Amino acid sequence: MVSRRFLIAAAALVPMAACAPALHAGLSSEPVTADSSHLTLTTFNIWHNMGDWPARRPLLIEALRAQNADVIALQEVLEDANTGLENQAEMLARELGGYKVAFVSTDPEGAPRRYGSALLTRLPILAQDSVRLEPLDDYRTALRVRVSVADRPVDVVVTHLAHQPEAGAVRARQISHLLSWLPQDGVPLVVMGDFNAPQEDPGLATMTGPRFVSALPPGSAATTLNPAKGHASRVIDHIFVEPEFFTPTAAHVFGDQPTNGEYPSDHFGVTATVALN
């Protein structure tokens, strides 16, 4: 997929002042109500239409509604005209209300079946862009929206990296390509999604280095993979922010409790609230 640039707001963006790094001091498991200085972020791998999709659909809607997020990153989003399945991100945005949708897929626009990732936001969108990540034969993408937070630009990216346990080098290449593709204009950056690896994976070294911090502190959750769906316990879904610009104030895992024996997904979601420094 060729990288595409879309609408960029004509209004000049307010420059960002450099701020000293701040880590997880006082981090709470309770969500903080979003205001002009806070941004609530959610990432969730929704497992496309696997399992009992009719039973999972309302659970997914309610789980996401409870997060009250300003930006939602979704992975394994499917639309399939052959089975009558509308784009799941568009469906969720409609059911939740108030969200705009950006969607990326390696499947061409207009194809009857498209599979990919999405960003939902209720914030003003200043720009959006997408890229197919190297190596191209792994069919991975990144999607960026630049949103306005209290009249300040913030870039939010969703990605979904190589899944093989031994693919650390591939994940490192994908992250390197992602970061080199982004605008180099100093706008604060959030990168979230299904990285298919815990933070100790060598492929994630760039994301666990000095530039980024996990909004969900290491060791604060047992897993983001659902053991009830046959997965080993691992935290592989992450929200990474730049501590130069953001202070995480709350973070938690959600979607980890069944309703009548069913879960929203085979992953658990992660929600974090961060203060914009």
Side-chain angles (χ1 to χ4, degrees):
M1 177 180 295
V2 177
S3 173
R4 298 169 294 172
R5 297 190 180 274
F6 296 91
L7 175 66
I8 300 180
L13 300 177
V14 179
M16 298 296 297
C19 302
L23 302 181
H24 295 287
L27 190 65
S28 166
S29 62
E30 296 300 321
V32 175
T33 302
D35 59 27
S36 60
S37 62
H38 287 85
L39 183 63
T40 299
L41 305 158
T42 288
T43 185
F44 207 176
N45 181 320
I46 65 171
W47 201 29
H48 48 103
N49 63 342
M50 291 293 287
D52 188 345
W53 170 242
R56 292 199 301 110
R57 182 182 185 274
L59 302 183
L60 188 59
I61 294 167
E62 290 308 309
L64 287 169
R65 179 175 289 126
Q67 306 314 305
N68 194 31
D70 299 301
V71 185
I72 301 171
L74 302 175
Q75 305 88 52
E76 296 196 16
V77 176
L78 179 65
E79 60 178 82
D80 190 349
N82 295 324
T83 62
L85 181 70
E86 68 173 309
N87 185 290
Q88 291 170 305
E90 297 282 357
M91 177 276 292
L92 288 167
R94 183 183 68 248
E95 293 292 335
L96 295 172
Y99 287 91
K100 300 172 284 293
V101 178
F103 174 72
V104 64
S105 173
T106 59
D107 303 308
E109 291 189 25
R113 186 184 188 279
R114 302 186 75 207
Y115 174 86
S117 299
L119 287 166
L120 282 57
T121 183
R122 55 192 183 188
L123 299 171
I125 296 178
L126 306 177
Q128 67 184 62
D129 200 359
S130 63
V131 68
R132 184 166 168 178
L133 297 176
E134 298 173 352
L136 299 183
D137 60 0
D138 197 45
Y139 302 97
R140 301 291 176 170
T141 60
L143 171 66
R144 173 183 68 96
V145 295
R146 177 166 291 186
V147 295
S148 178
V149 182
D151 296 324
R152 298 167 67 180
V154 171
D155 278 339
V156 183
V157 174
V158 60
T159 194
H160 187 186
L161 301 186
H163 73 277
Q164 299 90 344
E166 69 280 5
V170 176
R171 287 186 284 272
R173 183 177 174 186
Q174 290 166 340
I175 290 170
S176 177
H177 184 196
L178 185 160
L179 294 177
S180 67
W181 159 75
L182 290 170
Q184 306 300 311
D185 55 4
V187 169
L189 175 63
V190 174
V191 183
M192 53 182 172
D194 178 358
F195 288 74
N196 268 313
Q199 290 190 47
E200 58 268 23
D201 183 87
L204 271 58
T206 300
M207 306 308 298
T208 56
R211 180 177 174 183
F212 294 96
V213 65
S214 171
L216 183 70
S220 62
T223 185
T224 60
L225 285 169
N226 189 342
K229 300 299 182 181
H231 295 297
S233 293
R234 292 195 303 155
V235 177
I236 66 170
D237 302 270
H238 306 294
I239 299 174
F240 292 111
V241 301
E242 294 179 299
E244 179 180 2
F245 299 111
F246 301 100
T247 301
T249 60
H252 64 274
V253 168
F254 69 94
D256 55 343
Q257 298 300 316
T259 300
N260 297 323
E262 188 58 87
Y263 291 84
S265 178
D266 71 329
H267 284 236
F268 303 145
V270 178
T271 291
T273 298
V274 297
L276 189 57
N277 298 335

